[in-house]
Amino acid sequence: MDNISIAPEGTKYNLPTEEEGVQEKKKVLEITEQQRKLGRKIVAVQGMGFVGCVMAIVVADAENEKGHPIYYVHGHQRPSKRSFWKVPVINTGKPPISSSDMEVPELFERCVNQKKNFRATWHDIAYEVADVVVVDIQLDATKPAFGEAEKGYCDVTHFRDGMRTLGQHIKPDCLVLVETTVPPGTSERIVKPIIEEEFKKRGIDVEKYPPLIAHSYERVMPGAKYVKSIRDFWRVYSGVNKESKKRAREFLDDVLDTVNYPITELENTNASEMAKVMENSYRATNIALTLEWARFAEKIGVDLFKVRDAIRKRKGTHDNLLRPSLGVGGYCLTKDPVLANWSMKDVFEIDDELSLAVNSVNINDTMPIHTIDLIKEEYPDLKDVNVTVLGVSYLEDVGDTRHSPSYTLVRLLREFWAEVTCHDSYVEFWAELETEKVYNDLDKVLPEAEVVIFAVGHSEYKEIEPEELVKKCGTKPLIIDCSNFLSDEKIKQYLDLGCKVKGIGKGHIKNL
Amino acid sequence: MDNISIAPEGTKYNLPTEEEGVQEKKKVLEITEQQRKLGRKIVAVQGMGFVGCVMAIVVADAENEKGHPIYYVHGHQRPSKRSFWKVPVINTGKPPISSSDMEVPELFERCVNQKKNFRATWHDIAYEVADVVVVDIQLDATKPAFGEAEKGYCDVTHFRDGMRTLGQHIKPDCLVLVETTVPPGTSERIVKPIIEEEFKKRGIDVEKYPPLIAHSYERVMPGAKYVKSIRDFWRVYSGVNKESKKRAREFLDDVLDTVNYPITELENTNASEMAKVMENSYRATNIALTLEWARFAEKIGVDLFKVRDAIRKRKGTHDNLLRPSLGVGGYCLTKDPVLANWSMKDVFEIDDELSLAVNSVNINDTMPIHTIDLIKEEYPDLKDVNVTVLGVSYLEDVGDTRHSPSYTLVRLLREFWAEVTCHDSYVEFWAELETEKVYNDLDKVLPEAEVVIFAVGHSEYKEIEPEELVKKCGTKPLIIDCSNFLSDEKIKQYLDLGCKVKGIGKGHIKNL
């Protein structure tokens, strides 16, 4: 079992042997030679995760004026037990991620099987032949204590290893385009010194061949426009020197729709790295401030959703005011403010703090506690209380469970010894909470429920009629609405059926 | 001198005598009778401050389908030494405030002298005859310690007095429309009990005549669209009961352009009161977060203004991201978060805090310290250093100095014994800092300046050529740009002239 990588659907793949390594290297070199003859430039994408694999097909799908592919793309994935399976899966023409965007499987089929200019590999020879390497390695923030994001940090060990691999293999004039969201300062202070060090070891004159490093962050949004959010969306970029900026610009112009979505060059990579974490911190803070007001609204008989609508009628200055909810999930808003604050303190050693950004993460992370407080007003002792959680992903109508606030909610409910049952039609397997079975059938989770939490606003839940839900439960459950899920009319129906109803930011319920 | 009220331009007015009171009462009653015969309803506006006097003329200027005025307006101003002068000034047809909006003096002239349906009075008889009273009393937050907005509170003594006056005088079916920004809960928990108490004293059956109290906040913006920001702008309102909501709606439909700027009814006055302080807290927080990133940007060679532009290209989600500056001034953003937090704790006795709102006020209030830190990098000892501050108002091209961050800046500079000289073409007299002379002539403030702070982005300053400024100074002053005032080109000119240049959020200067 030590040499096996298992795909989510269960298929087992042996990790490659040394002999297979020799074959793979040969194959990559052969393909590269053929493709160069076709006039194509060679791109390697480092990391076949949520962003890397889609960026890879976007690059592969790019065509010149004659309708011919501009690039051949080697999608590189390390041969780890956890992820090696992606290589054989991609090479059948299937995406290694699930997405509601139909363009994702279309592009994989087209580029792998029809255009035949995209192939996954685990061999580092891909870097040696590349004219451009796009870096899409994951880089996480670690938050060692719940609700104390100020102690958060970024473990760059794995990322540094990835950069060292590049320094050991790439051609001196290869453009390294970092697409990963990184702490400000990463390109200049981490990537550049490592690659220079490896260049020197290889006898490359770094005065003559200064590493070409650029940064251009993605703004991927899960959901039905996944591909578009990479290809047809505004970009920001910069580089550590003039040539890397120029090369990055040329590459991005080739692969993205920079005509309809104009691209912005910033003065240095610190600026473009800062732009990404700042824009996500902005959103994290705007959610956090709404959450504080939601708690206030609940206490004083106010429906914060209506207040928000009223404020947003004032056009131009308040449009970005966000909705309250169970909390904040996903990969970006939960970590980017922490990366920024860590960078300030550790990368640049500045004696200051991004206090609002960090506090916002704390408010957002701990918000599920508030939902439990709402339940406790009716069930002071949660032991053995049957609680049904509807929705475990972090976003409406999407199956992505990364850093989902439902994770915190369910774990805390279990700590109070509640009997928790989870439902989510989009989620087969809850990777972050493997011990928790996620049901796809409402009939399995509602019977005998004493508390029903509408945790995530999946459309499916909006269609449930109060009478039907109460019938399925066979009880008069306490209903908790975490995402402005129930209209006032539906709330009244629940109340008429003898249920109690509470909701995040919905203080007006007691007056209905 | 005890009975004299002095207008800003120097004219002295005697406070009214008892005999004059008798005459004034008679006059108000006579006018009211005449106006009722013309079919006009009677409005009293309580408080002739920045909002009240403009709201009064907007109401007076409102016409019915036949082009006739709908209302006669008594503008009420208490006969205090500080403000009584407003009554005679208004009654000559002149506004008691200065504004760059030409519509302000136009409307005063038209309503006072032509339509003759607006007149100021200091006599409470105005309340007795009114069908509607619009409350525009000032209500401030007190922040007892600099940088500790969490200790802030709202002293409602004066406001309560005003409500008691209304309760003692108004007709039982008079609509009291509170336009003042108030802590959430004010209409229900402060205004209503006081008026009910006074009604009872007067023998009015409050079951039969429950006080008609509504709340609808203004969104006044100083500057060239002052009147429009009251009349032609989105409104929110609510009332303490059905009838007061209905009456408020009718009145607002009469006087505001609710066709082009649809009005929003909220479920209760807590909600509409919350909407106002929340929308301003939203802006205060969005400024504060930018200020934190500005400090970061300065340290790592980044121009935060360019980063902001790059982020805002991402349409629809980040448009409200604000600019860094010297700090935040004005009447609203500096106090509304404090009113909200105080309401939560003191009016509703909730054990919680609007931590982001309060921290934001602290960050904004203390931001001028950061500007001084920038100066200290060049002048560690500020004693006797000649510092010229360009701009003391709180907003570009506006003379409003209320809670201006320049106030904090100048006071702190003086604490360090700097030799401060202030300039502002829009400000004749700095009411909040009476000891500080404000010059209107650059030639008076620039000679021998060792530090020149572009504090406020008045257009006039943008026209100054570096060569001209340096020549006027006769020195090579340190230039501090607090509001993205200088283009990179101008900065380079200053550098070429031998000046040092620093700027809020402009970390790229050192690389120019």
Side-chain angles (χ1 to χ4, degrees):
Chain A
M1 285 293 285
D2 264 6
N3 293 321
I4 287 175
S5 173
I6 308 175
E9 99 294 352
T11 312
K12 292 170 183 171
Y13 298 92
N14 288 314
L15 296 192
T17 61
E18 223 171 291
E19 170 54 24
E20 284 167 326
V22 175
Q23 295 301 320
E24 178 67 10
K25 179 174 177 180
K26 208 176 143 196
K27 186 152 195 181
V28 170
L29 287 171
E30 271 174 22
I31 292 172
T32 301
E33 204 189 329
Q34 289 163 11
Q35 292 288 325
R36 287 217 185 271
K37 280 183 189 157
L38 291 169
R40 292 176 189 163
K41 284 174 271 184
I42 308 299
V43 174
V45 177
Q46 185 178 36
M48 289 290 100
F50 278 86
V51 177
C53 76
V54 181
M55 181 63 179
I57 50 172
V58 164
V59 175
D61 201 45
E63 295 177 343
N64 62 19
E65 286 154 11
K66 292 179 185 166
H68 298 150
I70 309 171
Y71 297 101
Y72 183 87
V73 180
H74 296 293
H76 188 280
Q77 175 59 56
R78 287 189 318 142
S80 66
K81 282 179 66 182
R82 195 175 152 212
S83 297
F84 173 70
W85 60 268
K86 294 178 184 176
V87 174
V89 165
I90 288 173
N91 288 340
T92 65
K94 290 200 183 104
I97 56 163
S98 67
S99 168
S100 57
D101 181 0
M102 284 304 102
E103 204 179 352
V104 173
E106 268 172 45
L107 279 184
F108 272 87
E109 168 60 22
R110 187 155 77 226
C111 295
V112 175
N113 293 328
Q114 293 166 31
K115 293 186 175 180
K116 294 187 195 295
N117 69 331
F118 174 43
R119 179 177 175 276
T121 182
W122 44 270
H123 202 292
D124 291 345
I125 189 71
Y127 300 134
E128 292 188 22
V129 299
D131 303 304
V132 178
V133 174
V134 180
V135 176
D136 279 310
I137 303 180
Q138 216 169 350
L139 186 55
D140 287 340
T142 305
K143 290 183 267 187
F146 181 56
E148 294 179 69
E150 58 277 17
K151 294 181 182 163
Y153 61 89
C154 179
D155 182 353
V156 288
T157 316
H158 173 58
F159 184 83
R160 290 174 66 95
D161 290 347
M163 294 308 101
R164 195 164 298 284
T165 303
L166 296 189
Q168 288 162 348
H169 290 94
I170 58 170
K171 297 187 288 176
D173 64 346
C174 173
L175 174 69
V176 175
L177 179 65
V178 179
E179 203 177 25
T180 304
T181 299
V182 294
T186 298
S187 295
E188 283 188 6
R189 298 192 172 211
I190 296 175
V191 182
K192 188 161 167 269
I194 292 175
I195 293 183
E196 280 180 349
E197 192 185 320
E198 293 302 325
F199 272 18
K200 284 177 194 162
K201 284 186 198 163
R202 289 163 61 194
I204 298 167
D205 180 353
V206 295
E207 294 296 320
K208 198 171 162 193
Y209 292 107
L212 300 178
I213 300 157
H215 178 258
S216 177
Y217 59 90
E218 43 73 24
R219 285 159 159 170
V220 162
M221 284 172 295
K225 295 185 173 181
Y226 205 92
V227 173
K228 280 184 190 297
S229 72
I230 287 187
R231 185 188 55 208
D232 309 325
F233 214 62
W234 299 271
R235 276 271 177 158
V236 179
Y237 75 101
S238 195
V240 297
N241 53 36
K242 262 197 175 176
E243 179 66 12
S244 53
K245 282 184 199 173
K246 180 172 162 280
R247 289 277 304 277
R249 176 62 189 252
E250 286 166 2
F251 176 71
L252 294 168
D253 274 340
D254 276 347
V255 301
L256 308 178
D257 180 1
T258 56
V259 173
N260 292 305
Y261 299 89
I263 192 165
T264 304
E265 177 178 311
L266 287 174
E267 65 264 41
N268 53 46
T269 48
N270 287 351
S272 80
E273 291 160 347
M274 177 184 263
K276 169 65 183 256
V277 289
M278 186 181 181
E279 70 181 59
N280 280 338
S281 298
Y282 170 76
R283 280 183 84 74
T285 300
N286 277 315
I287 294 172
L289 73 87
T290 309
L291 296 182
E292 288 198 336
W293 290 84
R295 300 198 303 254
F296 191 9
E298 288 163 26
K299 293 270 170 52
I300 68 169
V302 167
D303 183 348
L304 195 70
F305 294 90
K306 297 198 191 95
V307 168
R308 175 181 177 253
D309 288 344
I311 293 174
R312 291 175 78 234
K313 287 227 173 112
R314 178 177 183 166
K315 291 294 165 206
T317 51
H318 291 74
D319 310 73
N320 300 159
L321 186 60
L322 293 166
R323 284 178 309 163
S325 62
L326 175 63
V328 176
Y331 185 59
C332 298
L333 305 199
T334 52
K335 76 166 171 51
D336 289 359
V338 176
L339 294 185
N341 192 56
W342 176 79
S343 158
M344 189 183 226
K345 292 190 296 183
D346 275 52
V347 179
F348 291 100
E349 295 175 357
I350 299 167
D351 182 23
D352 199 350
E353 193 190 23
L354 294 168
S355 68
L356 289 174
V358 163
N359 286 342
S360 296
V361 172
N362 289 337
I363 291 167
N364 295 339
D365 282 354
T366 58
M367 188 67 185
I369 295 174
H370 175 66
T371 299
I372 290 178
D373 288 341
L374 290 182
I375 302 171
K376 280 186 160 178
E377 289 171 9
E378 302 302 320
Y379 291 97
D381 182 2
L382 279 167
K383 189 170 182 300
D384 298 331
V385 174
N386 291 326
V387 181
T388 297
V389 176
L390 300 180
V392 304
S393 77
Y394 85 86
L395 200 61
E396 300 173 4
D397 296 331
V398 167
D400 194 337
T401 55
R402 291 176 299 168
H403 302 283
S404 155
S406 291
Y407 171 87
T408 308
L409 178 72
V410 170
R411 286 196 54 155
L412 288 171
L413 284 168
R414 290 212 171 278
E415 278 183 22
F416 289 114
W417 302 101
E419 284 291 330
V420 186
T421 316
C422 295
H423 176 276
D424 200 311
S425 302
Y426 294 89
V427 177
E428 288 291 325
F429 171 66
W430 196 349
E432 294 82 10
L433 202 58
E434 302 181 4
T435 52
E436 194 69 45
K437 180 163 170 52
V438 180
Y439 294 87
N440 300 143
D441 183 353
L442 282 170
D443 290 327
K444 292 258 169 65
V445 298
L446 290 176
E448 290 177 58
E450 294 166 282
V451 181
V452 176
I453 306 176
F454 286 102
V456 185
H458 295 326
S459 309
E460 171 188 12
Y461 302 143
K462 291 193 182 152
E463 286 157 26
I464 304 174
E465 290 304 321
E467 207 164 334
E468 183 195 336
L469 182 135
V470 171
K471 203 173 154 191
K472 281 186 177 171
C473 290
T475 59
K476 291 175 182 175
L478 166 65
I479 306 288
I480 306 282
D481 178 3
C482 295
S483 45
N484 196 28
F485 204 77
L486 305 174
S487 63
D488 286 356
E489 200 191 331
K490 274 200 177 167
I491 292 171
K492 280 181 198 155
Q493 289 175 35
Y494 277 115
L495 295 172
D496 289 346
L497 287 161
C499 298
K500 293 204 170 169
V501 186
K502 292 170 184 286
I504 304 287
K506 291 174 88 76
H508 68 303
I509 293 177
K510 54 190 153 203
N511 306 326
L512 285 176
Chain B
M1 284 295 287
D2 266 5
N3 292 320
I4 287 177
S5 173
I6 308 176
E9 98 294 353
T11 312
K12 292 172 183 172
Y13 298 92
N14 288 315
L15 296 192
T17 62
E18 224 171 290
E19 170 55 25
E20 285 167 325
V22 175
Q23 295 301 321
E24 178 68 9
K25 179 174 177 179
K26 207 176 145 196
K27 184 151 195 181
V28 169
L29 286 171
E30 270 173 22
I31 292 172
T32 301
E33 205 189 328
Q34 290 163 7
Q35 292 288 325
R36 287 216 186 273
K37 281 183 187 156
L38 292 169
R40 293 177 188 162
K41 285 174 272 183
I42 308 300
V43 173
V45 176
Q46 185 178 35
M48 289 290 101
F50 277 85
V51 178
C53 75
V54 181
M55 181 64 178
I57 50 171
V58 165
V59 175
D61 201 46
E63 296 178 342
N64 63 18
E65 287 153 11
K66 291 179 185 166
H68 298 149
I70 309 172
Y71 298 101
Y72 183 87
V73 181
H74 296 293
H76 188 282
Q77 175 58 57
R78 288 186 318 141
S80 65
K81 281 178 66 182
R82 195 175 152 211
S83 297
F84 172 71
W85 60 268
K86 294 178 185 177
V87 174
V89 166
I90 289 173
N91 288 340
T92 65
K94 290 201 182 102
I97 56 164
S98 68
S99 168
S100 57
D101 182 359
M102 285 303 102
E103 205 178 349
V104 173
E106 267 172 45
L107 279 183
F108 272 86
E109 167 61 22
R110 185 154 78 226
C111 296
V112 175
N113 292 330
Q114 294 165 31
K115 293 186 176 180
K116 293 186 195 295
N117 69 332
F118 173 45
R119 179 177 175 276
T121 181
W122 45 270
H123 203 290
D124 291 344
I125 188 72
Y127 300 134
E128 292 187 23
V129 299
D131 303 304
V132 177
V133 175
V134 180
V135 177
D136 279 310
I137 303 180
Q138 216 169 352
L139 187 55
D140 286 340
T142 306
K143 289 182 268 186
F146 181 57
E148 294 179 69
E150 58 277 16
K151 295 182 182 163
Y153 61 89
C154 179
D155 181 354
V156 289
T157 315
H158 174 58
F159 184 83
R160 291 174 65 95
D161 290 346
M163 295 306 101
R164 196 165 297 285
T165 302
L166 296 188
Q168 288 162 348
H169 290 93
I170 59 170
K171 297 187 290 178
D173 64 348
C174 173
L175 174 68
V176 175
L177 180 66
V178 179
E179 202 177 25
T180 304
T181 299
V182 294
T186 298
S187 295
E188 283 188 5
R189 298 191 172 213
I190 295 174
V191 183
K192 188 162 167 268
I194 292 174
I195 293 183
E196 279 180 350
E197 193 185 319
E198 293 300 326
F199 273 17
K200 283 177 193 162
K201 285 185 196 163
R202 289 162 60 193
I204 299 167
D205 180 352
V206 295
E207 295 296 320
K208 201 172 162 191
Y209 292 106
L212 300 179
I213 300 157
H215 177 258
S216 178
Y217 59 90
E218 43 74 23
R219 285 160 159 169
V220 162
M221 284 172 297
K225 295 185 174 182
Y226 205 91
V227 173
K228 280 184 190 294
S229 72
I230 287 187
R231 184 188 57 208
D232 309 325
F233 214 62
W234 299 273
R235 274 272 176 159
V236 179
Y237 75 102
S238 194
V240 298
N241 54 35
K242 263 196 175 178
E243 180 65 13
S244 53
K245 281 183 200 173
K246 181 173 161 281
R247 289 277 303 279
R249 176 62 189 252
E250 286 165 2
F251 176 71
L252 294 168
D253 275 340
D254 276 347
V255 301
L256 307 179
D257 179 1
T258 57
V259 173
N260 292 305
Y261 299 89
I263 192 165
T264 305
E265 178 178 310
L266 287 174
E267 66 263 42
N268 53 46
T269 48
N270 287 350
S272 79
E273 291 160 348
M274 177 184 265
K276 170 66 184 254
V277 289
M278 185 180 181
E279 69 182 60
N280 280 338
S281 297
Y282 170 77
R283 280 183 84 74
T285 301
N286 277 316
I287 295 171
L289 74 87
T290 309
L291 296 183
E292 287 198 337
W293 290 85
R295 298 198 303 254
F296 192 8
E298 288 163 26
K299 293 270 171 53
I300 67 170
V302 168
D303 182 349
L304 195 71
F305 293 90
K306 297 198 191 95
V307 168
R308 174 181 178 251
D309 289 343
I311 292 174
R312 291 176 77 234
K313 288 229 174 111
R314 179 178 181 165
K315 291 292 164 208
T317 51
H318 291 74
D319 311 73
N320 300 160
L321 186 60
L322 293 167
R323 283 177 309 161
S325 61
L326 176 64
V328 177
Y331 186 59
C332 297
L333 305 199
T334 52
K335 77 166 170 48
D336 290 0
V338 176
L339 294 183
N341 192 56
W342 176 79
S343 158
M344 188 183 225
K345 292 190 296 183
D346 275 53
V347 179
F348 291 101
E349 295 176 358
I350 298 167
D351 182 22
D352 200 349
E353 192 191 25
L354 294 169
S355 68
L356 288 174
V358 163
N359 285 341
S360 297
V361 172
N362 289 338
I363 291 167
N364 296 338
D365 283 354
T366 58
M367 189 65 186
I369 295 175
H370 174 65
T371 298
I372 290 178
D373 288 341
L374 290 182
I375 302 172
K376 280 186 161 178
E377 290 172 8
E378 302 302 321
Y379 292 96
D381 181 2
L382 279 167
K383 189 166 184 299
D384 298 332
V385 174
N386 291 327
V387 181
T388 297
V389 176
L390 299 181
V392 305
S393 76
Y394 84 87
L395 201 62
E396 298 172 5
D397 295 331
V398 166
D400 194 338
T401 54
R402 292 177 298 168
H403 302 283
S404 153
S406 291
Y407 172 87
T408 308
L409 178 72
V410 170
R411 286 196 53 155
L412 288 170
L413 284 169
R414 290 212 171 278
E415 278 183 24
F416 288 113
W417 302 100
E419 283 294 328
V420 186
T421 316
C422 295
H423 176 275
D424 200 311
S425 302
Y426 295 89
V427 177
E428 287 292 325
F429 172 67
W430 196 349
E432 295 81 9
L433 201 57
E434 302 182 3
T435 51
E436 194 69 46
K437 177 159 174 56
V438 180
Y439 293 88
N440 299 143
D441 183 353
L442 283 171
D443 291 326
K444 292 259 170 62
V445 298
L446 289 176
E448 289 178 59
E450 293 166 283
V451 182
V452 176
I453 306 176
F454 285 101
V456 185
H458 295 325
S459 309
E460 171 189 10
Y461 301 145
K462 292 194 182 151
E463 285 157 27
I464 304 175
E465 290 303 321
E467 208 165 334
E468 184 195 335
L469 183 135
V470 171
K471 202 173 154 191
K472 282 186 177 170
C473 289
T475 59
K476 291 175 181 175
L478 167 66
I479 306 288
I480 305 282
D481 178 2
C482 295
S483 45
N484 196 28
F485 204 77
L486 304 175
S487 63
D488 286 355
E489 199 192 332
K490 273 200 177 166
I491 293 171
K492 280 181 201 156
Q493 290 175 32
Y494 277 116
L495 296 172
D496 289 345
L497 287 161
C499 299
K500 293 204 170 172
V501 185
K502 293 169 182 286
I504 304 287
K506 291 175 90 76
H508 68 303
I509 293 177
K510 55 189 150 202
N511 307 325
L512 284 177

